[in-house]
Amino acid sequence: MNTSVLLLAAAMVTAHPSSAFAQASGSAPESAAATAAAPPAAQDDDPDRDVNLAQPDFSVITLPTTLRVARHKSAFRITHRFGRPLGAGDFGDLAGDLFGLDNGAVIGLEYRFGLFRGAQVGVHRTSNKAVQFFGQYDIKNQRDGFPVGIAAYVSAEGTNNFRDSYSPGLGLLVSREIGDRAALYLEPFWVNNTNELPNELVDDNNTVIVGVGARLRVRPSVYALLEAAPRLSGYDPGVGHISFGVEKRAGGHAFQLNFSNGFATTLAEVARGGFNHDDWYIGFNISRKFY
Amino acid sequence: MPRIASALVTIALTSLVATGSGCDEQLSDLTGPTPNLTPTLTSIQNDIFSAADASGRVACTGCHTNVGRMPLAGLNLVGGTAHAALVDRSSVAKPGAILVVPGDPDNSYLIQKLEGAAGIVGQRMPRTSGPFLTPGQVAVIRRWIALGARND
């Protein structure tokens, strides 16, 4: 099994040499010199480098979007889910804990890279030692005239630094951009081995979910977000994942404040759902494109 | 789709299938001192009722046997008799409690005695004050009951 996992990981990280660089800010003479020695103009004409106002980032909150990573470019994201339910105690208690800052958190670090146009790979690692490798391939894109965006999504996740309890997943991402104001998502996923007990002890070991999401640009650079992932079949502990939030974009950065009924930041965690509908947890995502 | 994309997709999907086929947690990792334990009566009989294990847990049939003695609490767990002695049978020590309720491990007195649940009469089993069954071993017995407590 470890050999197969390594083969999958090798397939997903096979790439040309990285040329990631931060968004330029000033220093015109250096830019001119760099431009003079730059590769042919075709690279700079990559439309995937342009900001997509309806779909500016690679995740809604946890669910993926169909936004393409520009070829040979990369992006980084940090996720944070505070461990204190907002409803525990009164407001004074909550404020005294700085809305959960004092109570520990599940943190995730994520990096993704554009292999070639329409194809991206990445890795997400949580402070619970879950590691998720993922890949996404653009099948149809609304910017190319198709009515919706469609992408294939594959992931392989393992707990304990990818040493235990593997959960591969397959999904189809369907998006619909509404002008430059909004984007809607419908994303069925099948996730294997979501039940952490052995097969012999459980009735269901896989989960089928359908992710639904929406992103609405309420101000020029402010978005409202909502996502949910009800379970259609299989292992379904707790309740379906639900999360909502608000996001502010500034340059190449995005800061998102969100509220979720669990700590899910990987696909298998989303499939396992939230704890209940009474406990909600504050969190944030910070993302940065390196282009 | 470019050739490299097709190759990567093929590799990714093949690896995914291969990974998926070997993804599941191993039951033997969960059952600790009895790695061969499975949720069948035969296995529970051989690995739990009739055998001690590496943790030092004593066999149930040390006391619950009709060989050379009267079975403790009238419960004979010797091979071939355990099923009839447990399933849908009332406890002698706690009238009204059913030792094994097929399909309902939570309300099976056997599980309550093995876990030392509140409300049991007498001591947690085994009554040597430990080692007790591990959570994994109890989970297997629970699963046997949940599946109908078959005489398998």
Side-chain angles (χ1 to χ4, degrees):
Chain A
M1 173 166 54
N2 283 339
T3 304
S4 302
V5 166
L6 288 173
L7 188 60
L8 174 64
M12 288 181 164
V13 301
T14 302
H16 297 279
S18 172
S19 57
F21 51 87
Q23 188 170 345
S25 56
S27 95
E30 291 171 0
S31 297
T35 302
Q43 192 170 3
D44 296 331
D45 291 342
D46 186 355
D48 290 340
R49 298 185 64 177
D50 299 334
V51 174
N52 181 336
L53 290 176
Q55 202 175 194
D57 211 338
F58 307 105
S59 302
V60 184
I61 298 169
T62 298
L63 296 177
T65 68
T66 56
L67 181 69
R68 297 193 287 230
V69 179
R71 179 172 175 266
H72 296 171
K73 302 303 177 190
S74 60
F76 178 79
R77 185 171 75 127
I78 181 169
T79 64
H80 216 95
R81 303 288 183 267
F82 291 119
R84 182 201 195 280
L86 294 173
D90 59 25
F91 184 80
D93 296 329
L94 184 62
D97 291 338
L98 200 58
F99 304 97
L101 182 68
D102 298 343
N103 302 95
V106 179
I107 302 169
L109 302 178
E110 178 181 290
Y111 177 80
R112 64 180 68 218
F113 182 81
L115 285 179
F116 49 86
R117 187 155 202 257
Q120 58 181 286
V121 294
V123 58
H124 181 94
R125 200 254 187 199
T126 76
S127 56
N128 285 336
K129 300 186 187 297
V131 178
Q132 178 190 351
F133 296 97
F134 58 89
Q136 186 171 321
Y137 185 75
D138 203 49
I139 298 171
K140 290 291 184 183
N141 197 283
Q142 198 170 340
R143 291 193 151 186
D144 298 331
F146 206 69
V148 295
I150 302 175
Y153 186 91
V154 60
S155 81
E157 179 176 335
T159 60
N160 192 23
N161 285 324
F162 213 75
R163 288 197 289 256
D164 299 332
S165 192
Y166 300 97
S167 301
L170 286 171
L172 192 69
L173 316 180
V174 181
S175 66
R176 169 71 183 176
E177 295 175 17
I178 303 171
D180 62 0
R181 277 290 176 187
L184 304 175
Y185 300 93
L186 186 68
E187 304 176 350
F189 291 97
W190 169 84
V191 188
N192 177 236
N193 199 35
T194 45
N195 197 326
E196 291 167 319
L197 290 176
N199 262 336
E200 294 90 337
L201 300 185
V202 300
D203 293 323
D204 298 300
N205 200 38
N206 310 311
T207 304
V208 175
I209 59 172
V210 60
V212 291
R215 174 187 284 270
L216 176 65
R217 190 161 67 98
V218 297
R219 294 283 296 158
S221 60
V222 177
Y223 295 79
L225 309 114
L226 174 67
E227 68 179 32
R231 279 77 63 90
L232 299 185
S233 68
Y235 180 58
D236 61 347
V239 299
H241 163 81
I242 299 174
S243 189
F244 60 94
V246 62
E247 181 177 284
K248 166 69 179 176
R249 308 201 64 81
H253 283 93
F255 181 81
Q256 181 189 106
L257 190 67
N258 52 60
F259 302 87
S260 310
N261 61 355
F263 305 139
T265 57
T266 68
L267 180 59
E269 291 170 352
V270 169
R272 292 188 196 104
F275 304 118
N276 53 62
H277 288 313
D278 296 320
D279 294 327
W280 291 84
Y281 302 84
I282 197 170
F284 65 83
N285 295 343
I286 299 176
S287 62
R288 169 77 191 191
K289 291 180 197 167
F290 296 120
Y291 57 96
Chain B
M1 185 187 292
R3 271 186 294 177
I4 187 170
S6 297
L8 287 176
V9 167
T10 302
I11 291 170
L13 289 176
T14 302
S15 301
L16 196 66
V17 170
T19 306
S21 66
C23 266
D24 194 37
E25 294 75 16
Q26 298 299 308
L27 183 60
S28 58
D29 291 342
L30 198 68
T31 52
T34 50
N36 298 320
L37 183 65
T38 60
T40 65
L41 181 60
T42 299
S43 176
I44 294 169
Q45 181 75 59
N46 292 338
D47 293 312
I48 301 293
F49 292 165
S50 300
D53 61 38
S55 71
R57 177 190 60 80
V58 300
C60 306
T61 51
C63 298
H64 293 288
T65 178
N66 64 349
V67 177
R69 59 167 293 161
M70 292 296 291
L72 189 65
L75 178 62
N76 185 6
L77 295 180
V78 166
T81 64
H83 188 267
L86 288 170
V87 179
D88 290 323
R89 298 299 295 268
S90 292
S91 164
V92 168
K94 185 175 181 180
I98 304 298
L99 290 170
V100 170
V101 181
D104 190 357
D106 286 337
N107 288 313
S108 296
Y109 195 58
L110 172 66
I111 295 296
Q112 295 167 13
K113 287 287 277 185
L114 291 175
E115 293 180 337
I120 60 172
V121 174
Q123 295 170 279
R124 180 179 177 184
M125 289 291 121
R127 71 169 192 176
T128 53
S129 300
F132 301 110
L133 271 69
T134 65
Q137 291 172 322
V138 175
V140 171
I141 298 174
R142 281 180 161 273
R143 181 62 173 170
W144 169 68
I145 297 173
L147 291 174
R150 296 184 295 256
N151 192 0
D152 54 0

